[in-house]
Amino acid sequence: MAPGPTEPELPSFDPGMLPEDGVSDPLEIFRIFAESATQPLGMGTLDGKVAYANPALCKILGLTDLAAAVGTPLTRYYLPTDRKRLESEILPQVVDSGLKTVDLPLVSIDGRVTPSIQAIFLLRDRHGDPLCYANIITDVTHHKQTEAQLRGARDELEEEIQARSSELR
C-alpha cells in the first residue's frame, strides 16, 4: 500500500549498516529485536487467536514460553468485563482506523492483573489487505500505584483541612 498524504515513505532496513560479522537476514534481525525488547509486544490472528508474544509479554501473562499461548483466544488474557468490549468495540475500530490506543488491563494465567496501555494496530500486506493485529503494551502498574498514593494523600489533606476549618469556627 502506498503511503498516504500524511504517511512518509520509510526507508527499508539496510543490514549493511550492521557489523559485517553480524546477522544479515532482515527477518532474523527483526526476531532478535522483538525477542530482546523489554516492551511487551504481541500479535494476533484476524480471528482472535494469539500468534506471537515476545518474552516481555510472556512474563506479564505468566507464560514460560510462546508455545503455551499460540492459538489461544486473545480474550483469554483480559478481564471478563473487557472481553466483550475487545471483540465488539476495540478490534472493529482497529480494523476501521488501523490503530486504537486503550487503557486495558491484562490477566495472567494465574489471575494476576496488570494495568496497561495498549496500542493495538493492524498489520497489512503490500496490497493493503489486513494480515494480523499487533500490540505494543506499556505496563502502567507503577503509574497506577503512584496515582492511588497521590489520591490517598489528597484525601488525607482534605480531611486535615476540614478538621482545621471546623476548629476555626
Side-chain angles (χ1 to χ4, degrees):
M1 178 164 79
T6 60
E7 299 173 41
E9 181 78 37
L10 297 176
S12 296
F13 177 76
D14 181 6
M17 299 296 292
L18 298 175
E20 288 183 31
D21 300 1
V23 177
S24 61
D25 175 32
L27 290 176
E28 180 63 11
I29 292 168
F30 185 79
R31 186 196 65 74
I32 293 168
F33 164 77
E35 298 291 311
S36 301
T38 57
Q39 190 84 17
L41 306 171
M43 295 170 63
T45 63
L46 295 175
D47 64 348
K49 305 277 192 263
V50 174
Y52 174 77
N54 74 344
L57 181 53
C58 285
K59 182 178 178 184
I60 285 177
L61 300 178
L63 303 169
T64 55
D65 61 26
L66 172 61
V70 169
T72 62
L74 293 170
T75 55
R76 158 68 182 87
Y77 304 101
Y78 292 91
L79 294 168
T81 54
D82 292 328
R83 291 174 184 165
K84 183 172 175 107
R85 182 173 164 232
L86 185 69
E87 291 175 326
S88 66
E89 177 188 328
I90 297 169
L91 293 180
Q93 287 178 354
V94 171
V95 171
D96 289 344
S97 68
L99 169 70
K100 177 80 174 165
T101 301
V102 62
D103 187 340
L104 202 60
L106 288 169
V107 180
S108 70
I109 58 171
D110 63 359
R112 188 182 66 245
V113 176
T114 301
S116 67
I117 303 292
Q118 300 182 30
I120 304 170
F121 54 101
L122 201 56
L123 295 183
R124 297 181 180 274
D125 67 16
R126 29 184 98 155
H127 305 291
D129 296 323
L131 286 172
C132 64
Y133 297 105
N135 196 351
I136 300 173
I137 300 160
T138 302
D139 178 347
V140 294
T141 301
H142 178 73
H143 298 292
K144 295 285 186 179
Q145 290 168 343
T146 301
E147 186 179 302
Q149 289 172 345
L150 289 172
R151 269 195 309 272
R154 183 195 64 209
D155 292 346
E156 288 177 21
L157 184 57
E158 286 176 0
E159 287 174 16
E160 182 70 23
I161 290 170
Q162 288 292 347
R164 289 188 183 193
S165 293
S166 61
E167 288 174 7
L168 294 173
R169 291 183 194 162

